Amino acid sequence: MTCPNCGEKQYQTQKSKKRISFLTVIILLPLLIQIFFDIPVIILFSLLPVFAVIVFLLYPFFVELSSKERCIGEQ
């Protein structure tokens, strides 16, 4: 992603990537609910778009950018 102010290329930080991976679990939450509770499949499928919208709305608040790209092993 390029910064609109300075024009410098921006990279997502490793910490940000870890936080966003937890958002992905939210989309899979209806499948976990199905394991523990006997909920009709139609209700679970209707929850998927709701959880997807929640993730899309929360995503910008979890993203952290840096002007330097770091590899996983770097400190």
Coordinates of all heavy atoms in Angstrom, one line a residue:
M1 N 0.9 -1.2 0.0 CA 0.0 0.0 0.0 C 0.9 1.2 0.0 O 1.9 1.3 0.7 CB -0.9 0.0 1.2 CG -1.7 1.2 1.5 SD -2.7 1.1 2.9 CE -4.0 0.1 2.4
T2 N 0.5 2.2 -0.7 CA 1.3 3.5 -0.8 C 0.6 4.6 0.0 O -0.6 4.7 -0.1 CB 1.4 3.9 -2.3 OG1 2.0 2.9 -3.0 CG2 2.3 5.1 -2.4
C3 N 1.4 5.3 0.8 CA 0.8 6.4 1.6 C 0.4 7.5 0.7 O 1.2 8.0 -0.1 CB 1.9 6.8 2.6 SG 1.4 8.3 3.6
P4 N -0.9 8.0 0.9 CA -1.3 9.1 0.0 C -0.6 10.4 0.4 O -0.6 11.3 -0.4 CB -2.8 9.2 0.3 CG -3.0 8.5 1.6 CD -1.9 7.5 1.8
N5 N -0.1 10.6 1.6 CA 0.6 11.8 2.0 C 2.0 11.9 1.6 O 2.4 12.9 1.0 CB 0.5 12.0 3.5 CG -0.9 12.1 4.0 OD1 -1.8 12.7 3.4 ND2 -1.2 11.6 5.2
C6 N 2.8 10.9 1.8 CA 4.2 11.0 1.5 C 4.6 10.2 0.3 O 5.7 10.3 -0.2 CB 5.1 10.5 2.7 SG 4.9 8.8 3.1
G7 N 3.7 9.3 -0.2 CA 4.0 8.5 -1.4 C 4.9 7.3 -1.1 O 5.3 6.6 -2.0
E8 N 5.3 7.1 0.1 CA 6.2 6.0 0.5 C 5.4 4.7 0.6 O 4.2 4.7 1.1 CB 6.9 6.3 1.8 CG 8.0 5.4 2.1 CD 8.8 5.8 3.4 OE1 8.8 7.0 3.7 OE2 9.4 5.0 4.0
K9 N 6.0 3.6 0.3 CA 5.3 2.3 0.4 C 5.2 1.9 1.8 O 6.1 2.0 2.6 CB 6.1 1.2 -0.4 CG 5.3 0.0 -0.6 CD 5.9 -0.9 -1.7 CE 5.0 -2.1 -1.9 NZ 5.5 -3.0 -2.9
Q10 N 4.0 1.4 2.2 CA 3.7 1.0 3.6 C 3.5 -0.5 3.6 O 2.9 -1.1 2.7 CB 2.4 1.7 4.1 CG 2.6 3.2 4.1 CD 3.5 3.6 5.2 OE1 3.4 3.3 6.4 NE2 4.5 4.4 4.8
Y11 N 3.9 -1.1 4.7 CA 3.8 -2.6 4.9 C 3.0 -2.9 6.2 O 3.2 -2.1 7.2 CB 5.2 -3.2 5.0 CG 6.0 -3.0 3.8 CD1 6.9 -1.9 3.8 CD2 5.9 -3.8 2.7 CE1 7.7 -1.7 2.7 CE2 6.7 -3.5 1.5 CZ 7.6 -2.5 1.5 OH 8.3 -2.2 0.4
Q12 N 2.3 -4.0 6.2 CA 1.6 -4.3 7.4 C 2.6 -5.0 8.4 O 3.4 -5.8 8.0 CB 0.5 -5.4 7.1 CG -0.4 -5.7 8.2 CD -1.6 -6.6 7.8 OE1 -1.7 -6.9 6.6 NE2 -2.4 -6.9 8.7
T13 N 2.5 -4.6 9.7 CA 3.5 -5.1 10.7 C 3.1 -6.6 11.1 O 2.0 -7.0 10.9 CB 3.5 -4.3 11.9 OG1 2.2 -4.3 12.5 CG2 3.9 -2.8 11.6
Q14 N 4.1 -7.3 11.6 CA 3.8 -8.7 12.0 C 2.8 -8.7 13.2 O 1.9 -9.6 13.2 CB 5.1 -9.3 12.5 CG 6.1 -9.6 11.4 CD 5.5 -10.6 10.4 OE1 4.8 -11.5 10.7 NE2 5.8 -10.3 9.1
K15 N 2.9 -7.7 14.1 CA 1.9 -7.7 15.2 C 0.5 -7.5 14.6 O -0.4 -8.1 15.1 CB 2.3 -6.5 16.1 CG 1.4 -6.3 17.3 CD 1.9 -5.1 18.1 CE 1.0 -4.8 19.3 NZ 1.4 -3.7 20.0
S16 N 0.4 -6.7 13.6 CA -0.9 -6.4 13.0 C -1.5 -7.7 12.3 O -2.6 -8.0 12.4 CB -0.8 -5.3 12.0 OG -2.0 -5.1 11.3
K17 N -0.6 -8.4 11.7 CA -1.0 -9.7 11.0 C -1.5 -10.7 12.0 O -2.5 -11.4 11.8 CB 0.2 -10.3 10.2 CG 0.5 -9.5 9.0 CD 1.7 -10.1 8.3 CE 2.1 -9.3 7.1 NZ 3.3 -9.8 6.4
K18 N -0.9 -10.7 13.2 CA -1.3 -11.7 14.2 C -2.7 -11.3 14.7 O -3.6 -12.1 15.0 CB -0.3 -11.7 15.4 CG 1.0 -12.4 15.1 CD 1.9 -12.3 16.2 CE 3.3 -12.9 15.9 NZ 4.2 -12.8 17.0
R19 N -2.9 -10.0 15.0 CA -4.2 -9.5 15.4 C -5.3 -9.8 14.4 O -6.4 -10.2 14.8 CB -4.2 -8.0 15.7 CG -3.5 -7.7 17.0 CD -3.7 -6.2 17.4 NE -2.6 -5.5 16.6 CZ -2.6 -4.2 16.5 NH1 -3.5 -3.4 17.1 NH2 -1.6 -3.6 15.9
I20 N -5.0 -9.6 13.2 CA -6.0 -9.8 12.1 C -6.3 -11.3 12.0 O -7.5 -11.7 11.6 CB -5.5 -9.2 10.8 CG1 -5.6 -7.7 11.0 CG2 -6.4 -9.6 9.6 CD1 -5.1 -6.9 9.8
S21 N -5.4 -12.2 12.3 CA -5.7 -13.6 12.2 C -6.8 -14.0 13.2 O -7.6 -14.9 12.9 CB -4.4 -14.4 12.5 OG -4.0 -14.3 13.8
F22 N -6.9 -13.3 14.3 CA -8.0 -13.5 15.2 C -9.4 -13.1 14.6 O -10.4 -13.7 15.0 CB -7.8 -12.8 16.6 CG -6.6 -13.4 17.3 CD1 -5.5 -12.7 17.5 CD2 -6.7 -14.7 17.9 CE1 -4.4 -13.3 18.2 CE2 -5.7 -15.3 18.6 CZ -4.5 -14.6 18.8
L23 N -9.3 -12.1 13.8 CA -10.6 -11.7 13.1 C -11.1 -12.8 12.2 O -12.3 -13.0 12.0 CB -10.4 -10.4 12.3 CG -10.3 -9.1 13.1 CD1 -10.0 -8.0 12.1 CD2 -11.5 -8.9 13.9
T24 N -10.2 -13.6 11.6 CA -10.6 -14.6 10.7 C -11.3 -15.7 11.5 O -12.3 -16.3 10.9 CB -9.4 -15.3 10.0 OG1 -8.4 -14.3 9.8 CG2 -9.7 -15.9 8.8
V25 N -11.0 -15.9 12.7 CA -11.7 -16.9 13.5 C -13.1 -16.5 13.8 O -14.0 -17.4 13.9 CB -10.9 -17.1 14.9 CG1 -11.7 -18.0 15.8 CG2 -9.5 -17.6 14.7
I26 N -13.4 -15.2 13.8 CA -14.8 -14.8 14.0 C -15.7 -15.3 12.9 O -16.8 -15.7 13.1 CB -14.9 -13.3 14.1 CG1 -14.2 -12.8 15.3 CG2 -16.3 -12.8 14.0 CD1 -14.1 -11.3 15.5
I27 N -15.2 -15.4 11.6 CA -16.0 -15.9 10.5 C -16.3 -17.4 10.7 O -17.3 -17.8 10.3 CB -15.3 -15.6 9.2 CG1 -15.2 -14.1 9.0 CG2 -16.0 -16.3 8.0 CD1 -14.5 -13.7 7.7
L28 N -15.4 -18.1 11.3 CA -15.6 -19.5 11.5 C -16.3 -19.8 12.8 O -16.6 -21.0 13.1 CB -14.2 -20.2 11.6 CG -13.3 -20.1 10.3 CD1 -12.0 -20.7 10.6 CD2 -14.0 -20.7 9.1
L29 N -16.7 -18.8 13.5 CA -17.4 -19.0 14.8 C -18.7 -19.8 14.7 O -19.0 -20.7 15.5 CB -17.7 -17.6 15.4 CG -18.1 -17.6 16.9 CD1 -17.0 -18.2 17.7 CD2 -18.3 -16.2 17.3
P30 N -19.5 -19.6 13.6 CA -20.7 -20.4 13.5 C -20.5 -21.9 13.4 O -21.2 -22.7 13.9 CB -21.4 -19.9 12.2 CG -20.9 -18.5 12.1 CD -19.5 -18.5 12.6
L31 N -19.3 -22.3 12.8 CA -19.0 -23.7 12.7 C -18.7 -24.3 14.1 O -19.0 -25.4 14.5 CB -17.8 -23.9 11.8 CG -18.1 -23.5 10.3 CD1 -16.8 -23.7 9.5 CD2 -19.2 -24.3 9.7
L32 N -18.0 -23.5 14.9 CA -17.7 -23.9 16.3 C -19.0 -23.9 17.1 O -19.2 -24.8 18.0 CB -16.7 -22.9 17.0 CG -15.3 -22.9 16.4 CD1 -14.5 -21.8 17.0 CD2 -14.7 -24.3 16.6
I33 N -19.9 -23.0 16.9 CA -21.2 -23.0 17.6 C -22.0 -24.3 17.3 O -22.6 -24.9 18.2 CB -22.0 -21.8 17.2 CG1 -21.3 -20.5 17.8 CG2 -23.4 -21.9 17.8 CD1 -22.0 -19.2 17.3
Q34 N -21.9 -24.7 16.0 CA -22.6 -25.9 15.6 C -22.1 -27.2 16.3 O -22.9 -28.1 16.6 CB -22.5 -26.1 14.1 CG -23.1 -27.4 13.6 CD -24.6 -27.4 13.7 OE1 -25.3 -26.4 13.7 NE2 -25.2 -28.6 13.9
I35 N -20.8 -27.2 16.7 CA -20.3 -28.4 17.4 C -20.9 -28.5 18.8 O -21.2 -29.6 19.2 CB -18.7 -28.2 17.5 CG1 -18.1 -28.3 16.1 CG2 -18.1 -29.3 18.4 CD1 -16.6 -28.0 16.1
F36 N -21.1 -27.4 19.5 CA -21.5 -27.5 20.8 C -23.0 -27.4 21.0 O -23.6 -27.8 22.0 CB -20.8 -26.4 21.7 CG -19.4 -26.5 21.7 CD1 -18.5 -25.7 21.0 CD2 -18.8 -27.6 22.4 CE1 -17.1 -25.8 21.1 CE2 -17.4 -27.8 22.5 CZ -16.6 -26.9 21.8
F37 N -23.7 -26.7 20.1 CA -25.2 -26.5 20.2 C -25.8 -27.1 18.9 O -25.3 -27.0 17.8 CB -25.5 -25.1 20.3 CG -24.8 -24.4 21.5 CD1 -23.7 -23.6 21.3 CD2 -25.3 -24.7 22.8 CE1 -23.1 -23.0 22.4 CE2 -24.7 -24.1 23.9 CZ -23.6 -23.3 23.7
D38 N -27.1 -27.5 19.1 CA -27.8 -28.1 17.9 C -28.6 -26.9 17.3 O -29.8 -26.7 17.6 CB -28.7 -29.2 18.4 CG -29.4 -29.9 17.2 OD1 -28.8 -29.9 16.1 OD2 -30.4 -30.5 17.4
I39 N -28.0 -26.1 16.4 CA -28.6 -25.0 15.8 C -28.9 -25.4 14.3 O -28.0 -25.9 13.7 CB -27.7 -23.7 15.9 CG1 -27.5 -23.4 17.4 CG2 -28.3 -22.6 15.2 CD1 -26.6 -22.2 17.6
P40 N -30.0 -25.0 13.8 CA -30.3 -25.3 12.4 C -29.3 -24.7 11.5 O -28.8 -23.6 11.7 CB -31.7 -24.7 12.2 CG -32.3 -24.6 13.5 CD -31.2 -24.4 14.5
V41 N -29.0 -25.4 10.4 CA -28.0 -25.0 9.4 C -28.3 -23.7 8.8 O -27.5 -22.9 8.5 CB -27.8 -26.1 8.4 CG1 -26.8 -25.7 7.3 CG2 -27.3 -27.4 9.0
I42 N -29.6 -23.4 8.5 CA -30.0 -22.2 7.9 C -29.7 -21.0 8.7 O -29.3 -19.9 8.2 CB -31.5 -22.2 7.5 CG1 -31.9 -21.1 6.6 CG2 -32.4 -22.2 8.8 CD1 -31.4 -21.3 5.2
I43 N -29.8 -21.1 10.0 CA -29.4 -20.0 10.9 C -27.9 -19.8 10.9 O -27.4 -18.7 10.9 CB -29.9 -20.3 12.4 CG1 -31.4 -20.3 12.4 CG2 -29.3 -19.3 13.4 CD1 -32.0 -20.7 13.7
L44 N -27.2 -20.9 10.9 CA -25.7 -20.8 10.8 C -25.3 -20.1 9.5 O -24.4 -19.2 9.5 CB -25.0 -22.1 10.9 CG -25.2 -22.8 12.3 CD1 -24.6 -24.2 12.3 CD2 -24.5 -22.0 13.4
F45 N -25.9 -20.5 8.4 CA -25.5 -19.8 7.1 C -25.9 -18.4 7.1 O -25.3 -17.5 6.5 CB -26.1 -20.6 6.0 CG -25.4 -21.8 5.6 CD1 -26.1 -23.0 5.3 CD2 -24.0 -21.9 5.5 CE1 -25.4 -24.2 5.0 CE2 -23.3 -23.0 5.2 CZ -24.0 -24.2 4.9
S46 N -27.0 -18.0 7.8 CA -27.4 -16.6 7.9 C -26.4 -15.8 8.8 O -26.3 -14.6 8.6 CB -28.8 -16.5 8.3 OG -29.0 -16.9 9.7
L47 N -25.8 -16.5 9.7 CA -24.8 -15.8 10.6 C -23.5 -15.5 9.9 O -22.8 -14.5 10.2 CB -24.5 -16.6 11.8 CG -25.6 -16.7 12.9 CD1 -25.2 -17.6 14.0 CD2 -25.9 -15.3 13.4
L48 N -23.1 -16.3 8.9 CA -21.9 -16.0 8.2 C -21.7 -14.6 7.6 O -20.7 -14.0 7.8 CB -21.7 -17.1 7.1 CG -21.3 -18.5 7.6 CD1 -21.3 -19.5 6.5 CD2 -20.0 -18.5 8.4
P49 N -22.7 -14.1 6.8 CA -22.6 -12.8 6.3 C -22.5 -11.7 7.4 O -21.8 -10.7 7.3 CB -23.8 -12.6 5.4 CG -24.5 -13.9 5.3 CD -23.9 -14.8 6.3
V50 N -23.3 -12.0 8.5 CA -23.2 -11.0 9.6 C -21.8 -10.9 10.2 O -21.3 -9.8 10.5 CB -24.3 -11.4 10.7 CG1 -24.1 -10.6 12.0 CG2 -25.7 -11.4 10.2
F51 N -21.2 -12.1 10.5 CA -19.9 -12.1 11.0 C -18.9 -11.5 10.0 O -17.9 -10.9 10.4 CB -19.5 -13.5 11.4 CG -20.1 -14.0 12.7 CD1 -20.7 -15.2 12.8 CD2 -20.1 -13.2 13.8 CE1 -21.4 -15.6 14.0 CE2 -20.7 -13.6 15.0 CZ -21.3 -14.8 15.1
A52 N -19.1 -11.8 8.7 CA -18.2 -11.2 7.7 C -18.2 -9.7 7.7 O -17.2 -9.0 7.6 CB -18.6 -11.8 6.3
V53 N -19.4 -9.1 7.8 CA -19.6 -7.7 7.9 C -18.9 -7.1 9.2 O -18.2 -6.1 9.1 CB -21.1 -7.3 7.9 CG1 -21.2 -5.8 8.2 CG2 -21.7 -7.6 6.5
I54 N -19.0 -7.8 10.3 CA -18.4 -7.4 11.5 C -16.8 -7.4 11.3 O -16.2 -6.4 11.7 CB -18.7 -8.3 12.7 CG1 -20.2 -8.1 13.1 CG2 -17.8 -8.1 13.9 CD1 -20.8 -9.1 14.0
V55 N -16.3 -8.4 10.7 CA -14.9 -8.4 10.4 C -14.4 -7.3 9.5 O -13.4 -6.6 9.8 CB -14.5 -9.8 9.8 CG1 -13.0 -9.8 9.3 CG2 -14.6 -10.9 10.9
F56 N -15.2 -7.0 8.4 CA -14.8 -6.0 7.5 C -14.9 -4.6 8.2 O -14.1 -3.7 7.9 CB -15.8 -5.9 6.3 CG -15.5 -7.1 5.3 CD1 -16.5 -7.9 4.9 CD2 -14.2 -7.3 4.9 CE1 -16.2 -8.9 4.0 CE2 -13.9 -8.3 4.0 CZ -14.9 -9.2 3.6
L57 N -15.8 -4.4 9.2 CA -15.9 -3.2 9.9 C -14.8 -3.0 10.9 O -14.3 -1.9 11.1 CB -17.2 -3.1 10.6 CG -18.4 -2.9 9.7 CD1 -19.7 -2.9 10.5 CD2 -18.4 -1.6 8.9
L58 N -14.3 -4.1 11.5 CA -13.3 -4.0 12.5 C -11.9 -4.0 11.9 O -10.9 -3.6 12.5 CB -13.4 -5.2 13.4 CG -14.6 -5.2 14.4 CD1 -14.6 -6.5 15.2 CD2 -14.5 -4.1 15.3
Y59 N -11.7 -4.5 10.7 CA -10.4 -4.7 10.0 C -9.6 -3.4 10.1 O -8.4 -3.4 10.5 CB -10.6 -5.2 8.6 CG -9.3 -5.5 7.9 CD1 -8.7 -6.7 8.1 CD2 -8.7 -4.5 7.1 CE1 -7.5 -7.0 7.4 CE2 -7.5 -4.8 6.4 CZ -6.9 -6.0 6.6 OH -5.7 -6.3 6.0
P60 N -10.1 -2.2 9.7 CA -9.2 -1.0 9.7 C -8.7 -0.6 11.1 O -7.6 0.0 11.2 CB -10.2 0.1 9.2 CG -11.3 -0.6 8.5 CD -11.4 -1.9 9.1
F61 N -9.4 -1.0 12.1 CA -8.9 -0.7 13.5 C -7.8 -1.6 13.9 O -7.1 -1.3 14.9 CB -10.1 -0.7 14.5 CG -11.1 0.3 14.1 CD1 -12.3 -0.1 13.5 CD2 -10.9 1.6 14.4 CE1 -13.3 0.8 13.2 CE2 -11.9 2.6 14.1 CZ -13.1 2.1 13.5
F62 N -7.6 -2.8 13.3 CA -6.6 -3.7 13.7 C -5.3 -3.6 12.8 O -4.3 -4.2 13.2 CB -7.2 -5.2 13.6 CG -8.1 -5.5 14.7 CD1 -9.4 -5.2 14.7 CD2 -7.6 -6.2 15.8 CE1 -10.2 -5.5 15.8 CE2 -8.4 -6.6 16.9 CZ -9.7 -6.2 16.8
V63 N -5.4 -2.9 11.7 CA -4.3 -2.8 10.8 C -3.3 -1.8 11.3 O -3.7 -0.7 11.7 CB -4.7 -2.4 9.4 CG1 -3.5 -2.1 8.5 CG2 -5.6 -3.5 8.8
E64 N -2.0 -2.1 11.3 CA -0.9 -1.2 11.7 C 0.1 -1.3 10.6 O 0.5 -2.3 10.2 CB -0.3 -1.7 13.0 CG 0.7 -0.8 13.6 CD 1.2 -1.3 14.9 OE1 0.4 -1.5 15.9 OE2 2.4 -1.6 15.0
L65 N 0.5 -0.1 10.1 CA 1.4 0.0 8.9 C 2.7 0.5 9.4 O 2.8 1.3 10.3 CB 0.8 0.8 7.8 CG -0.5 0.3 7.2 CD1 -1.0 1.4 6.2 CD2 -0.4 -1.0 6.6
S66 N 3.8 0.1 8.6 CA 5.1 0.6 8.8 C 5.7 0.9 7.5 O 5.4 0.3 6.5 CB 5.9 -0.4 9.6 OG 7.3 -0.1 9.7
S67 N 6.7 1.8 7.5 CA 7.4 2.1 6.2 C 8.5 1.1 5.9 O 9.0 1.2 4.8 CB 7.9 3.5 6.2 OG 8.8 3.7 7.3
K68 N 8.8 0.2 6.8 CA 9.8 -0.8 6.6 C 9.2 -2.1 6.6 O 8.4 -2.5 7.5 CB 10.9 -0.6 7.7 CG 11.6 0.7 7.7 CD 12.6 0.8 8.8 CE 13.3 2.1 8.7 NZ 14.2 2.3 9.8
E69 N 9.6 -3.0 5.7 CA 9.1 -4.3 5.6 C 10.1 -5.2 6.5 O 11.3 -5.1 6.4 CB 9.1 -4.9 4.2 CG 8.6 -6.3 4.1 CD 8.5 -6.7 2.6 OE1 9.2 -6.2 1.8 OE2 7.7 -7.6 2.4
R70 N 9.5 -5.9 7.4 CA 10.3 -6.8 8.3 C 9.9 -8.2 8.0 O 8.8 -8.6 7.9 CB 10.0 -6.5 9.8 CG 10.5 -5.1 10.2 CD 10.5 -5.0 11.6 NE 11.6 -4.3 12.1 CZ 11.8 -3.8 13.2 NH1 10.8 -3.9 14.1 NH2 12.8 -3.1 13.6
C71 N 11.0 -9.1 8.1 CA 10.8 -10.5 8.0 C 10.4 -11.0 9.3 O 10.5 -10.4 10.4 CB 12.1 -11.2 7.5 SG 12.6 -10.7 5.9
I72 N 9.9 -12.3 9.4 CA 9.4 -12.9 10.6 C 10.5 -13.0 11.7 O 10.2 -12.7 12.8 CB 8.8 -14.2 10.3 CG1 7.5 -14.1 9.4 CG2 8.4 -15.0 11.6 CD1 6.9 -15.4 8.9
G73 N 11.7 -13.3 11.3 CA 12.8 -13.5 12.3 C 13.4 -12.2 12.7 O 14.2 -12.2 13.7
E74 N 13.1 -11.0 12.1 CA 13.8 -9.8 12.5 C 13.2 -9.2 13.7 O 12.0 -9.4 14.0 CB 13.7 -8.8 11.4 CG 14.5 -9.1 10.2 CD 14.4 -8.0 9.1 OE1 14.2 -6.8 9.5 OE2 14.6 -8.3 8.0
Q75 N 14.0 -8.4 14.5 CA 13.5 -7.7 15.7 C 13.4 -6.3 15.4 O 14.2 -5.6 14.9 CB 14.4 -8.0 16.9 CG 14.3 -9.4 17.3 CD 12.9 -9.8 18.0 OE1 12.3 -8.9 18.5 NE2 12.5 -11.0 17.9

